Amino acid sequence: MISSPFNPNSPLASSITTLLFVTLIIGGIVFLIVLGPTLYSYIRFRARPGDDEEPYQNLGNTRLEVLWTVTPAVVLAALFGLTLLTMRRSDPPVPDNAQPDLIVTGHQWWWEFQYPDSGIVTANEIHIPTGKRLLVQVTSADVIHNFWVPQLGRKVDATPGYTSHIWLEANKPGTYLGACNEYCGTQHAWMRIRVIADSPADFAAWEQSQQQVPVIPTTGDAAKGSQLFQSLTCSNCHNIDGTAANAHIGPDLTHLGSRETLAAGVLNNTPGDLAAWLGNPQAIKPGAHMPNLNLTPDEVHALVAYLESLQ
Ligand code: CUA
């Protein structure tokens, strides 16, 4: 699916696309009206051999001047009116005391998502139910980021120490891609957002699975990985529900295995890509706050088995 503002999938984003097309069409018509007579005059009234007189000098035409003053004023007034309407449609006012359905926090260089009602915390990838308008509260933990999923709504800055609000809504189930839209450092390009719109029933099932506390594995590589995770410094930054790891500096890993990508979209969430990431994060996303832990291949293998089991 192409994630472009030309292909909106929500009433919020549709209003912006309509304004864009109306502006482009009006701009195109004005361009032709100005360019056509100009080109015609160049050709029709060009200097020819044997011309010796000055051409006719037009020193003013009240009717024409009124026309080219009033017409642009009317066009601009119409676009201004349509813009106000679009602002209202794409960004409806937030009712007093409304509680957010989703809290987004930008970090260098990943997104934290919290669902206050269900207590679900995830990263870089969210599920939303179709046909429901979600109130999204947006903030930042460090520098200014910008949250934008073009097919679903407008963009909004994520500013440290300040909360903004937008609405997010999807007409149809599908995967909608977004990204950070405010330059925020070396890995700005790798702050991707993946919104998976589910039917209400599928969303309820996802919600339920995300609320499960993972069982701590007791056998095999996954058990080894689970012990390693707690003994290494992983738990200084990450949270996994049901374990001693409860830090929220890096992405929540409670259900890492259920997500489609890793490191905010750099890698697919496959055992091979996860092993590459754990083996040398700095080679894949230079500057990211995930350090190289100099793990042995056996340790990587065990950690991959454990983390991929966190469905
Ligand atoms: Cu975050 Cu750009």
Side-chain angles (χ1 to χ4, degrees), residues 8-90:
N9 231 301
S10 98
L12 305 157
S14 293
S15 65
I16 298 172
T17 308
T18 304
L19 177 63
L20 175 64
F21 279 126
V22 170
T23 309
L24 281 177
I25 290 166
I26 291 178
I29 292 170
V30 170
F31 180 76
L32 291 178
I33 289 175
V34 172
L35 198 72
T38 306
L39 280 177
Y40 174 78
S41 305
Y42 279 165
I43 295 163
R44 174 78 177 72
F45 301 107
R46 70 187 184 280
R48 290 181 173 85
D51 283 356
D52 45 6
E53 284 176 58
E54 277 271 294
Y56 165 66
Q57 298 296 306
N58 188 342
L59 297 176
N61 182 323
T62 311
R63 202 187 285 176
L64 260 181
E65 283 166 22
V66 168
L67 187 72
W68 74 47
T69 306
V70 170
T71 310
V74 170
V75 169
L76 287 179
L79 283 178
F80 179 70
L82 186 63
T83 303
L84 288 183
L85 196 68
T86 303
M87 288 167 73
R88 180 116 191 143
R89 284 194 179 146
S90 64

Side-chain angles (χ1 to χ4, degrees):
M1 180 177 296
I2 302 164
S3 279
S4 123
F6 295 109
N7 183 19
N9 231 301
S10 98
L12 305 157
S14 293
S15 65
I16 298 172
T17 308
T18 304
L19 177 63
L20 175 64
F21 279 126
V22 170
T23 309
L24 281 177
I25 290 166
I26 291 178
I29 292 170
V30 170
F31 180 76
L32 291 178
I33 289 175
V34 172
L35 198 72
T38 306
L39 280 177
Y40 174 78
S41 305
Y42 279 165
I43 295 163
R44 174 78 177 72
F45 301 107
R46 70 187 184 280
R48 290 181 173 85
D51 283 356
D52 45 6
E53 284 176 58
E54 277 271 294
Y56 165 66
Q57 298 296 306
N58 188 342
L59 297 176
N61 182 323
T62 311
R63 202 187 285 176
L64 260 181
E65 283 166 22
V66 168
L67 187 72
W68 74 47
T69 306
V70 170
T71 310
V74 170
V75 169
L76 287 179
L79 283 178
F80 179 70
L82 186 63
T83 303
L84 288 183
L85 196 68
T86 303
M87 288 167 73
R88 180 116 191 143
R89 284 194 179 146
S90 64
D91 189 24
V94 177
D96 289 341
N97 306 320
Q99 294 304 308
D101 299 296
L102 182 65
I103 298 172
V104 177
T105 308
H107 293 257
Q108 285 175 313
W109 289 279
W110 60 283
W111 297 98
E112 181 179 4
F113 295 112
Q114 294 165 271
Y115 295 75
D117 287 343
S118 57
I120 294 168
V121 180
T122 186
N124 307 318
E125 179 175 315
I126 46 170
H127 286 242
I128 62 170
T130 52
K132 188 184 174 213
R133 191 161 287 190
L134 296 145
L135 180 58
V136 183
Q137 181 182 305
V138 182
T139 188
S140 168
D142 38 45
V143 299
I144 301 175
H145 304 274
N146 183 291
F147 179 87
W148 192 30
V149 185
Q151 288 176 281
L152 302 185
R154 74 178 184 103
K155 56 168 78 166
V156 65
D157 270 355
T159 310
Y162 182 79
T163 54
S164 313
H165 288 87
I166 59 161
W167 300 91
L168 210 57
E169 183 176 356
N171 293 336
K172 293 190 303 223
T175 300
Y176 303 95
L177 305 180
C180 182
N181 269 272
E182 179 73 45
Y183 183 72
C184 55
T186 49
Q187 292 299 340
H188 157 70
W190 286 114
M191 277 188 74
R192 301 295 170 87
I193 305 155
R194 184 173 280 263
V195 178
I196 297 157
D198 293 324
S199 67
D202 287 351
F203 177 74
W206 176 82
E207 233 181 355
Q208 210 176 17
S209 74
Q210 294 284 307
Q211 284 172 304
Q212 306 285 324
V213 174
V215 177
I216 296 174
T218 50
T219 56
D221 288 335
K224 233 187 289 172
S226 159
Q227 284 155 16
L228 266 175
F229 190 92
Q230 300 300 332
S231 63
L232 295 167
T233 51
C234 313
S235 57
N236 292 355
C237 294
H238 294 285
N239 174 69
I240 296 178
D241 284 355
T243 74
N246 62 359
H248 290 275
I249 294 166
D252 191 295
L253 303 179
T254 306
H255 295 282
L256 176 74
S258 73
R259 303 205 281 260
E260 291 175 12
T261 66
L262 299 169
V266 185
L267 298 170
N268 290 319
N269 190 4
T270 62
D273 280 7
L274 181 54
W277 173 250
L278 294 175
N280 191 353
Q282 293 301 315
I284 290 164
K285 197 170 177 180
H289 296 313
M290 171 83 174
N292 185 347
L293 296 172
N294 297 309
L295 303 166
T296 67
D298 277 353
E299 288 172 329
V300 169
H301 183 79
L303 282 168
V304 169
Y306 172 54
L307 293 169
E308 294 291 1
S309 78
L310 299 172
Q311 286 293 324

